[in-house]
Amino acid sequence: MSNTSVQDDIDLDYGPLYAARKKVFPQKVSGTFRRIKWGLMGFCLGVYYFLPFVRWNRGLGAPDQAVLIDFPNKRFYFFFIEIWPQELYYFTGLLVIAALVLFLLNSIGGRIWCGYLCPQTVWTDLFYAVERLIEGDRRERMKKDAAGWNLERVSETVLKHSIWLMIAWWTGGAWVLYFADAPTLVWQLLTFRAPMLAYIWIGILTASTYVLAGWMREQVCVYMCPWPRIQAALTDEWALNVTYRYDRGEKRTSVKKAKELRARGEPVGDCVDCYQCVAVCPTGIDIRNGSQLDCIQCGLCIDACDTVMTKIGRPTRLIGYDSDINIKRRTEGKPEIYRVVRPRTVIYCGLIAVVGAIMLYAMLTRSLLDVNVLHDRNPVAVKLSDGSIRNAYTMRLLNKRGFDRVIAIDIDGPVNATVHVVGVDSVTQDRPMIVLGRDQTTELRVLVTAPAENNTEKSVPVRFRITDIGLGETAVTTDNFVTP
């Protein structure tokens, strides 16, 4: 190779390593999928913003907020369900079910979550709606962006960002309402008497909502979210994704040219290269280039293409939910096949049913009375003056019901052993009774004493049993009685 050719290779300009990110101006569109997105956005935002104000009667003295995360009292309330800290495994089950539902949706219809239900999508859609209302549609926004700054654009920008900040502020404010009584906290916030922690979290969530939905927008989906990478590994050839049906669309040409070609009997596709699918895309991609990481499969390109096809008198759904298998079958003259029920979806549904059944069974059969015992470690046992042996325990009783209960304490284990609760007078000599307050835990000091002559073993299992005198409900735990 000559020195000249080597130098030519060295001087060759390959361009930048990373392409510059183009500003996206999504165009307004109407149609089936846009209406679905409006409906889901209204529903999701309505639930998020107003659910804290829904009331639920749990009885006298109990919080009446339907959904409440009560950190001071270590409770989570969801309508008729009350979760205690010891029952966090329910949240694990919910997370497992949520992941499986996400996998199931992906195996049926691709990134349904991303396109319709993801908070980033919902709030970005809302921010886009505000932007269009103030600054106009795609062409108007592009012209104003190219023209530079003037008084009109400054006023529109200030108004737009002010509304964005108001939405972001109420988003952060609604979040903190799930952690305290909503009407009370709203009044405290308005009168500047709310806890400082509430203002801090509102500020954090206001800033994050404003930045993510107002500024970063589609870049969150493309660069920050891990789900597109995971989804690509989970999908299969039968999953329905937003697809350009190139078997029908190619070759592309204008409407006028297409009529001429069809009149001569020459093959021509339905795509007229109008770029409406690109104009309405929130990530600015061309769906005709095939499956892409940037596509959130919101379906807006389907609505845009259907509008054009209707105007030119061609069949709709040139872009639609489809699979590569069906495109291949159509090119071969075979009928389309849709397999929603297949091993993958059956397995996901089965796992969701199993985990849901386990959680439901655990919820329906869970005990609302519980007991835990911790043996003293120093000393583990004491020999009294009469020769008997005493072990001390810390007992924690748990009452999950909304009313007081009379609880009797019994033990099974050492021969002729007696139990005494420190600070509590026993109704009978060998069966102490206490009043256990509603919806609370109580810690007791329990002493178990046994004659030494009847208990010669070094360690004897001892079972503590508590009984609700009124309901007959019991709870049992086991420890050891130790001889020094």
Side-chain angles (χ1 to χ4, degrees):
M1 184 181 291
S2 65
N3 291 335
T4 303
S5 62
V6 172
Q7 186 62 40
D8 290 342
D9 289 339
I10 294 174
D11 295 338
L12 186 62
D13 184 10
Y14 290 99
L17 182 60
Y18 299 102
R21 185 72 183 175
K22 295 181 180 179
K23 195 171 182 179
V24 180
F25 298 90
Q27 181 174 298
K28 183 180 179 181
V29 64
S30 59
T32 301
F33 294 95
R34 179 66 267 182
R35 287 192 293 271
I36 292 173
K37 284 174 67 66
W38 283 130
L40 289 175
M41 183 180 77
F43 174 76
C44 293
L45 292 176
V47 170
Y48 176 77
Y49 287 130
F50 298 108
L51 186 58
F53 297 97
V54 177
R55 302 292 98 182
W56 188 268
N57 185 13
R58 297 187 179 88
L60 185 64
D64 63 349
Q65 187 163 311
V67 180
L68 175 65
I69 303 172
D70 189 358
F71 275 136
N73 296 312
K74 300 180 178 64
R75 303 285 190 278
F76 171 69
Y77 298 97
F78 185 81
F79 293 93
F80 62 91
I81 299 174
E82 179 181 349
I83 303 297
W84 288 60
Q86 299 90 332
E87 299 172 325
L88 285 178
Y89 50 82
Y90 287 116
F91 290 102
T92 304
L94 288 176
L95 291 175
V96 171
I97 290 178
L100 291 172
V101 169
L102 200 59
F103 298 161
L104 177 63
L105 292 177
N106 174 68
S107 64
I108 294 174
R111 294 171 64 179
I112 295 177
W113 167 260
C114 299
Y116 302 93
L117 297 169
C118 175
Q120 175 65 22
T121 298
V122 171
W123 265 273
T124 301
D125 249 5
L126 180 60
F127 277 42
Y128 270 136
V130 172
E131 187 174 62
R132 292 191 191 99
L133 180 65
I134 296 173
E135 297 182 351
D137 205 356
R138 172 182 167 87
R139 291 184 179 181
E140 289 81 359
R141 297 202 309 277
M142 292 178 70
K143 288 180 181 178
K144 291 174 181 178
D145 187 70
W149 292 96
N150 53 43
L151 183 60
E152 180 186 5
R153 191 180 176 204
V154 169
S155 61
E156 288 179 347
T157 302
V158 170
L159 177 60
K160 176 183 72 175
H161 286 275
S162 298
I163 297 176
W164 280 0
L165 283 170
M166 289 177 61
I167 296 172
W169 174 81
W170 183 239
T171 300
W175 177 255
V176 300
L177 297 183
Y178 286 92
F179 296 85
D181 183 67
T184 303
L185 184 56
V186 167
W187 177 250
Q188 291 176 342
L189 290 170
L190 293 175
T191 56
F192 300 100
R193 291 184 296 174
M196 181 55 63
L197 191 61
Y199 292 107
I200 292 173
W201 274 109
I202 290 175
I204 293 173
L205 293 168
T206 299
S208 61
T209 304
Y210 173 71
V211 171
L212 294 179
W215 291 92
M216 300 186 68
R217 296 181 174 179
E218 74 283 348
Q219 297 184 50
V220 174
C221 307
V222 177
Y223 299 109
M224 295 176 62
C225 180
W227 178 237
R229 286 85 180 166
I230 300 172
Q231 182 264 350
L234 290 174
T235 193
D236 62 6
E237 66 274 15
W238 294 105
L240 297 176
N241 293 287
V242 176
T243 306
Y244 167 64
R245 291 164 173 164
Y246 57 83
D247 59 308
R248 178 187 144 193
E250 302 296 329
K251 76 178 183 183
R252 311 172 194 170
T253 185
S254 65
V255 177
K256 183 178 179 181
K257 186 68 174 177
K259 289 181 179 179
E260 295 175 358
L261 292 174
R262 289 191 180 98
R264 295 200 299 262
E266 297 183 22
V268 62
D270 284 345
C271 181
V272 295
D273 230 5
C274 63
Y275 285 92
Q276 286 302 297
C277 56
V278 180
V280 302
C281 179
T283 59
I285 65 167
D286 191 340
I287 191 64
R288 298 172 298 176
N289 293 335
S291 179
Q292 298 163 67
L293 183 71
D294 298 18
C295 178
I296 64 173
Q297 299 185 21
C298 59
L300 297 181
C301 55
I302 302 177
D303 288 337
C305 188
D306 283 354
T307 301
V308 174
M309 291 295 106
T310 301
K311 288 181 180 179
I312 65 175
R314 303 299 299 169
T316 58
R317 291 299 189 267
L318 175 59
I319 301 175
Y321 277 93
D322 205 351
S323 65
D324 290 337
I325 287 181
N326 280 333
I327 293 178
K328 183 178 179 181
R329 290 181 66 86
R330 285 194 298 268
T331 58
E332 297 173 352
K334 298 178 181 179
E336 297 176 346
I337 297 177
Y338 296 95
R339 291 184 178 174
V340 175
V341 180
R342 57 188 190 275
R344 182 187 294 261
T345 57
V346 170
I347 290 173
Y348 289 150
C349 289
L351 291 174
I352 292 171
V354 169
V355 177
I358 292 173
M359 290 183 59
L360 181 61
Y361 176 79
M363 181 69 69
L364 294 176
T365 60
R366 68 173 181 164
S367 174
L368 299 180
L369 181 67
D370 198 11
V371 58
N372 288 287
V373 171
L374 180 65
H375 196 295
D376 278 8
R377 299 303 177 191
N378 187 23
V380 293
V382 175
K383 188 172 184 178
L384 304 181
S385 58
D386 61 355
S388 58
I389 308 300
R390 173 176 292 171
N391 284 200
Y393 304 85
T394 299
M395 175 180 289
R396 183 175 290 272
L397 306 180
L398 176 61
N399 177 17
K400 299 179 183 178
R401 293 194 181 273
F403 50 82
D404 295 346
R405 311 169 80 169
V406 178
I407 302 297
I409 302 175
D410 302 287
I411 62 166
D412 298 314
V415 180
N416 296 328
T418 59
V419 58
H420 174 69
V421 179
V422 177
V424 176
D425 294 331
S426 300
V427 176
T428 63
Q429 185 176 2
D430 57 351
R431 200 183 197 201
M433 293 188 184
I434 66 164
V435 176
L436 185 56
R438 62 185 181 187
D439 197 36
Q440 65 179 246
T441 61
T442 299
E443 190 172 284
L444 305 174
R445 180 77 170 166
V446 177
L447 306 177
V448 177
T449 306
E453 62 273 12
N454 296 331
N455 298 277
T456 58
E457 297 183 27
K458 198 70 176 175
S459 179
V460 178
V462 57
R463 187 173 70 154
F464 294 85
R465 182 176 67 259
I466 61 173
T467 305
D468 183 329
I469 298 300
L471 300 177
E473 188 176 355
T474 63
V476 178
T477 188
T478 304
D479 207 293
N480 291 298
F481 184 87
V482 181
T483 300

